[in-house]
Amino acid sequence: MDAPPITRVATVGTGVIGASWTSYFLARGLDVVAADPDPGAEDRLRADVEAQWPALERLGLARGASPDRLAFTADVEEAVEQAQFVQESGPEREAVKQPLFAALDAATGPEVVLASSSSGLLPTTIQAACERRPQRVLVGHPFHPAHLVPLVEVVGGDRTDEAAIERAIAFYAQVGKRPIRLRAELPGHLANRLQAALWREAYSLVDRGVATVADIDTAIAHGPGLRWALLGPFVLQHLSGGPGGLAHTLEHLGPPMEDWWQAMTTPPLTPELTAAAVSGVEDELASVDQDAMVAERDALLIDLLAAKAAAEHLP
């Protein structure tokens, strides 16, 4: 028998990611209890929800969605005692995560999934301090801005049950996210590792003086990045091959691509390279209103998400 839909969630930690999760869950018509012991956290969270709500309205609210369905407490145990799902977004430190998850493990019902937004810690590390039911602990890693970007990476640890992974994937899909499952734990999970591969070459190009920071940003934002917003790298290579598809692409471009890989280097992130990257971004944005830039980014993201939702033939 299928489990009933989740209607009440707890968000633990209300920084940038935790606030985005909170806004998103409220927009999907859920009751949310948020917890954060930091003084002033409630006022900041409610201000963040208010600021993010117009974008979520444009995306489309679920029936009954309202910021009024948000409750707040500084007490983690109180926040999760009636939760059907817990999304944790606390500090990225093992010394914080492990005791926090031990407390969550002790305070929640046996079937409640405990999901961490962590981008840096592995679920096996996080669940190590859970003495009762470590099998329901996993990573549910979103992408910033988490109230707009659909991707969630679901990663189980050594002790995570298959049932917990299935419940997490079903819940994220229920609220309109696009969950993917990783079959192994890796630092950075999946999408951040793909980003890191690009960053490695971008920093190397700056380090070698091949291109400016602005030119590299332009190359991606006005080139392959436009295609990447619609289709993934394998499908795009497939389309590059014409009627022969991916097999044709690899037959003709595979050998030079291997040569390019061999010519790539990993630059040390020296103080000089760091300074060059920082000054390059400052130069690039010298005449840009960054608040307006972020607002336009979010507006265009919403338009793109709506267009993709209406498309019938994108995978």
Side-chain angles (χ1 to χ4, degrees):
M1 187 160 110
D2 291 338
I6 289 170
T7 60
R8 184 181 180 87
V9 301
T11 54
V12 177
T14 60
V16 172
I17 298 300
S20 277
W21 272 124
T22 300
S23 296
Y24 186 79
F25 290 146
L26 290 168
R28 302 321 302 155
L30 305 181
D31 292 309
V32 182
V33 183
D36 197 313
D38 192 52
E42 180 175 5
D43 289 342
R44 289 192 298 271
L45 175 61
R46 293 191 183 278
D48 286 339
V49 171
E50 182 180 0
Q52 293 164 0
W53 202 253
L56 290 163
E57 286 180 319
R58 283 193 61 202
L59 275 179
L61 301 177
R63 178 178 297 180
S66 171
D68 294 337
R69 297 179 73 167
L70 171 62
F72 185 90
T73 175
D75 186 280
V76 168
E77 286 85 355
E78 180 184 347
V80 303
E81 62 184 2
Q82 296 183 51
Q84 296 170 284
F85 192 95
V86 176
Q87 186 75 43
E88 177 273 337
S89 306
E92 284 283 279
R93 299 193 299 275
E94 183 178 329
V96 175
K97 288 274 199 235
Q98 287 191 336
L100 176 56
F101 269 80
L104 296 175
D105 185 38
T108 49
E111 300 303 315
V112 176
V113 171
L114 305 180
S116 176
S117 300
S118 177
S119 61
L121 294 176
L122 301 180
T124 293
T125 300
I126 296 170
Q127 68 189 182
C130 297
E131 297 182 356
R132 294 178 68 225
R133 297 179 180 88
Q135 65 270 20
R136 41 59 179 280
V137 175
L138 48 80
V139 162
H141 176 240
F143 263 73
H144 177 69
H147 60 289
L148 298 181
V149 177
L151 179 66
V152 181
E153 299 173 319
V154 177
V155 193
D158 286 347
R159 302 163 73 184
T160 306
D161 276 353
E162 182 69 22
I165 292 172
E166 291 175 357
R167 287 200 301 275
I169 290 174
F171 168 65
Y172 290 131
Q174 171 199 321
V175 296
K177 288 293 189 181
R178 187 70 179 262
I180 59 171
R181 177 186 179 177
L182 274 67
R183 305 287 172 168
E185 295 177 278
L186 291 170
H189 313 315
L190 176 59
N192 271 337
R193 291 178 70 89
L194 295 171
Q195 289 190 129
L198 175 61
W199 290 331
R200 182 181 75 160
E201 183 61 12
Y203 279 90
S204 177
L205 293 169
V206 171
D207 193 40
R208 288 183 281 159
V210 174
T212 67
V213 167
D215 284 342
I216 291 168
D217 280 344
T218 297
I220 296 301
H222 296 271
L226 293 172
R227 300 188 305 186
W228 292 342
L230 303 175
L231 296 167
F234 287 106
V235 170
L236 287 170
Q237 276 199 316
H238 170 74
L239 294 179
S240 296
L246 181 59
H248 180 76
T249 299
L250 293 180
E251 179 183 354
H252 290 270
L253 294 182
M257 183 168 63
E258 288 187 287
D259 291 339
W260 301 339
W261 288 341
Q262 294 302 317
M264 292 179 182
T265 60
T266 301
L269 200 55
T270 61
E272 294 77 14
L273 177 54
T274 299
V278 170
S279 65
V281 170
E282 290 174 346
D283 290 344
E284 184 179 0
L285 299 181
S287 61
V288 175
D289 180 332
Q290 294 192 46
D291 290 337
M293 177 182 71
V294 170
E296 284 188 344
R297 177 204 65 184
D298 289 353
L300 288 168
L301 269 175
I302 293 167
D303 290 342
L304 176 61
L305 289 167
K308 289 184 71 170
E312 298 181 2
H313 303 293
L314 295 181

